[in-house]
Amino acid sequence: VSDLLPSLDDLRPGDAVNKPHSHIILFIAWTSAKHDRMLVYEGGDAKKSGDPINHSRVHEDFYDRDWLLKHHFVPLRYRNIED
């Protein structure tokens, strides 16, 4: 259904960043030219923010590149996406 991208730097809006069998987020944009922090859509991550309402809704959030890599998230792109 999706293909692994070579690097987080290859992400385009709508691509996924996945921690297999755990959590997935949708990439919106990098917040800087250094690609060290990204804006994403996600649902249900009350543990990260401590806000129990996040568990039941989709919301925007920010993730640091180093944190994602440390926690084994990988970049993916849907195979049938049309530009």
Side-chain angles (χ1 to χ4, degrees):
V1 173
S2 61
D3 294 312
L4 183 64
L5 296 173
S7 166
L8 290 174
D9 294 316
D10 296 305
L11 287 167
R12 295 190 299 209
D15 287 339
V17 184
N18 185 41
K19 181 175 183 180
H21 311 290
S22 180
H23 193 60
I24 192 164
I25 55 181
L26 293 180
F27 177 78
I28 299 172
W30 292 105
T31 62
S32 74
K34 295 188 302 184
H35 291 188
D36 57 356
R37 188 167 170 85
M38 66 176 69
L39 177 64
V40 303
Y41 288 122
E42 73 175 329
D45 193 9
K47 288 185 250 177
K48 180 173 179 268
S49 69
D51 180 358
I53 203 164
N54 279 346
H55 186 70
S56 62
R57 65 182 175 92
V58 173
H59 57 277
E60 289 182 353
D61 207 344
F62 295 93
Y63 277 86
D64 291 327
R65 176 192 195 102
D66 290 343
W67 188 92
L68 291 167
L69 294 173
K70 178 182 174 184
H71 290 90
H72 309 289
F73 279 78
V74 294
L76 301 171
R77 179 165 300 135
Y78 178 63
R79 283 187 190 134
N80 294 321
I81 200 160
E82 294 184 23
D83 291 321

